[in-house]
Amino acid sequence: MMRKLSLLFAGALMGASAMSLVYGAPGSAANAAGSETYKQLAIFGDIFERVRANYVTPPDDKSLVENAINGMLASLDPHSSYMNAEQAQDMRVQTKGEFGGLGIEVTMENDLVKVITPIDDTPAAKAGVLAGDYIAKIDGEEVRGLTLNDAVEKMRGPVNTPIKLTILRQGADKPIELTVVRDIIKVKAVKYRVENDIGYMKITSFTEKTYDDLENAIENIKKQVPNDKLKGYVLDLRLNPGGLLDQAVSVSDAFLKRGEIVSTRGRDPKDVTRFDAKPKQVDDINGKPMIVLVNGGSASASEIVAGALQDLRRVTVVGTQSFGKGSVQTIIPLGENGALRLTTALYYTPSGKSIQGKGITPDIKVDQPLPPDLQGRDLTRGESDLKGHIKGADESKTGSGSAAYVPPDPKDDLQLIYAEQLLRGEKTDPSFPPNPDKAVLNQ
């Protein structure tokens, strides 16, 4: 049975994850601890030594310390954690949006790595890897018994280094041996296409390249459809787990002429940072109508974008309740190239509302039915369901989140179909088009 998991060759893309990140500014120095705190630390040191000396099997010191640190951070909230050197490097790869690899999108099926598609003009495509191929061996090692992440880890690596893949291909009478030389793979953070008279843009995550990819998508859509024929745009933020705060601000700014986008508020009541759109005469899509799609997989940075554009009445939001992650994680570099991911602030929409534990409520709710093979499974995702989450100021018993599912075939995508029908005037709703004069602002 196919596992519903797909990874690009970054090793560990952010994917549709509840643990999405919005990175803030560097943290400040810690305050000095009191004498009672040092007594407690002495108890910890005593326990650590007793475990090392008396546990039934010799424990790994590094693992003991890392688990103790993560235990402390996990007691704070679900998004604070310690990253060792390898994990910190993976995080940097994710946010950079490029990596040394082969350039294929893969999943796991029948205990083998199945190629969903090779990315155009990448080492894998040039070497002859095809969609539907099964990777049975990596450098002579059997794939069976490995997890998808383990297999991906083996296939990524330094640029200009070779890797040998043993491939099973339908119609071939024997395995195919291919040698692929790794190269820099640039992951597109924005996928786009033209649906006759509508421009469709899907932001998969907020990496360092998201805004540039978005601008490229807008320009290409404008070239394909004359301005007088273009009905509008759909911005798809479903299954988008978030990413970089500055990219969320830049993306929001692209569709605004003025106004506050988001504010962050830290521990100190005076610690408030506001991010505003740059004043301009016309936005990047020439004021064309736009609909934003969200669901339970829309979290963090994607909620910043949806919340800003909704409050300022620039777009109509369609779909189901978003995830509700309204916290900011600061990445603090540590020794030996590790890092501390620590929740340091909460963010608020232009109306002054906290998304934490609540999420973005769509202007028009459109549910997406699950296919027969997924019915009966709980695909609901929400911050309010996470153990130990920070309770949001606007969180209610209803909580946040909804089903995190998008059909692979656009013909089955009821939320997208509804959005396109609104843009073409085939459906009407009081929420569309929105009235900018009724923007909801924090007074």
Side-chain angles (χ1 to χ4, degrees):
M1 179 180 177
M2 180 184 293
R3 281 179 243 175
K4 302 291 182 179
L5 176 60
S6 173
L7 294 177
L8 283 172
F9 255 152
L13 285 181
M14 281 181 270
S17 167
M19 301 298 286
S20 57
L21 306 179
V22 177
Y23 305 113
S28 58
N31 294 323
S35 59
E36 184 60 32
T37 301
Y38 285 113
K39 290 179 182 179
Q40 296 298 318
L41 287 173
I43 294 173
F44 169 77
D46 184 29
I47 292 173
F48 177 74
E49 290 300 332
R50 290 179 184 274
V51 170
R52 292 181 69 235
N54 300 312
Y55 189 66
V56 62
T57 57
D60 178 71
D61 289 357
K62 182 179 179 182
S63 178
L64 284 177
V65 172
E66 285 190 9
N67 287 325
I69 293 171
N70 272 316
M72 173 180 65
L73 294 171
S75 71
L76 300 176
D77 70 90
H79 305 294
S80 294
S81 65
Y82 166 72
M83 293 179 285
N84 58 32
E86 182 179 351
Q87 292 165 337
Q89 176 59 25
D90 282 343
M91 180 270 298
R92 287 188 284 269
V93 166
Q94 293 169 16
T95 58
K96 190 173 180 61
E98 62 181 44
F99 52 89
L102 307 183
I104 54 179
E105 187 176 351
V106 298
T107 188
M108 186 72 87
E109 184 177 316
N110 299 324
D111 294 326
L112 296 176
V113 173
K114 182 180 181 181
V115 178
I116 297 174
T117 183
I119 302 172
D120 291 339
D121 199 32
T122 60
K126 293 175 182 177
V129 177
L130 302 178
D133 283 350
Y134 288 88
I135 299 174
K137 294 182 182 179
I138 302 170
D139 279 336
E141 182 180 346
E142 292 281 351
V143 168
R144 292 184 189 277
L146 298 178
T147 66
L148 182 58
N149 282 333
D150 289 339
V152 168
E153 182 69 23
K154 288 182 177 296
M155 288 186 280
R156 70 176 192 168
V159 173
N160 295 326
T161 59
I163 181 173
K164 186 167 73 173
L165 303 179
T166 302
I167 288 174
L168 306 181
R169 180 176 296 167
Q170 187 173 6
D173 55 2
K174 62 181 180 179
I176 299 169
E177 302 282 351
L178 292 177
T179 298
V180 187
V181 179
R182 298 177 179 94
D183 201 352
I184 292 292
I185 308 299
K186 296 183 179 180
V187 180
K188 289 292 184 183
V190 181
K191 299 178 180 179
Y192 69 92
R193 63 177 182 267
V194 169
E195 297 277 359
N196 297 317
D197 51 0
I198 292 173
Y200 171 86
M201 301 176 294
K202 179 178 180 60
I203 301 180
T204 57
S205 61
F206 289 85
T207 71
E208 293 177 8
K209 301 183 180 300
T210 298
Y211 176 72
D212 290 340
D213 284 356
L214 177 70
E215 288 296 292
N216 179 66
I218 292 172
E219 288 305 310
N220 278 287
I221 290 171
K222 287 179 178 178
K223 290 177 182 177
Q224 294 180 50
V225 187
N227 189 60
D228 61 334
K229 302 292 185 182
L230 188 62
K231 298 292 186 183
Y233 293 81
V234 173
L235 183 66
D236 193 346
L237 298 177
R238 294 172 299 176
L239 303 184
N240 182 317
L244 300 173
L245 173 59
D246 65 334
Q247 291 292 308
V249 171
S250 295
V251 167
S252 302
D253 190 17
F255 306 113
L256 296 170
K257 294 190 291 184
R258 64 185 65 84
E260 180 180 305
I261 293 172
V262 68
S263 63
T264 64
R265 307 176 193 179
R267 179 170 166 176
D268 187 332
K270 297 178 182 178
D271 184 14
V272 179
T273 303
R274 301 185 187 279
F275 300 86
D276 298 320
K278 302 180 186 71
K280 45 188 173 293
Q281 293 300 313
V282 65
D283 62 34
D284 292 6
I285 58 172
N286 303 318
K288 287 286 185 180
M290 188 165 78
I291 290 174
V292 170
L293 298 179
V294 298
N295 67 5
S298 306
S300 210
S302 58
E303 293 176 291
I304 288 176
V305 175
L309 299 179
Q310 182 185 55
D311 278 3
L312 297 176
R313 296 296 186 262
R314 175 61 184 90
V315 307
T316 298
V317 178
V318 172
T320 55
Q321 197 80 8
S322 67
F323 187 85
K325 180 183 178 295
S327 60
V328 180
Q329 278 68 49
T330 297
I331 305 300
I332 304 170
L334 301 174
E336 302 297 327
N337 296 319
L340 170 62
R341 177 171 51 191
L342 187 66
T343 300
T344 55
L346 298 176
Y347 63 75
Y348 295 78
T349 68
S351 64
K353 291 183 179 179
S354 169
I355 297 170
Q356 178 64 17
K358 179 176 176 61
I360 300 296
T361 301
D363 300 302
I364 305 173
K365 183 181 179 182
V366 178
D367 289 310
Q368 178 63 54
L370 297 178
D373 62 323
L374 292 179
Q375 287 180 6
R377 292 177 56 182
D378 184 10
L379 297 183
T380 301
R381 301 291 182 269
E383 174 80 9
S384 59
D385 294 326
L386 297 181
K387 183 179 179 180
H389 78 280
I390 298 172
K391 189 170 179 62
D394 298 309
E395 184 176 342
S396 66
K397 292 181 179 179
T398 306
S400 63
S402 61
Y405 172 73
V406 177
D409 190 338
K411 295 178 183 177
D412 301 322
D413 192 340
L414 299 189
Q415 294 167 338
L416 175 58
I417 292 170
Y418 195 100
E420 292 179 343
Q421 289 175 333
L422 282 174
L423 289 169
R424 294 189 177 114
E426 297 167 0
K427 283 188 180 294
T428 60
D429 189 278
S431 299
F432 181 80
N435 184 352
D437 295 332
K438 296 184 178 180
V440 183
L441 304 177
N442 187 24
Q443 303 298 325

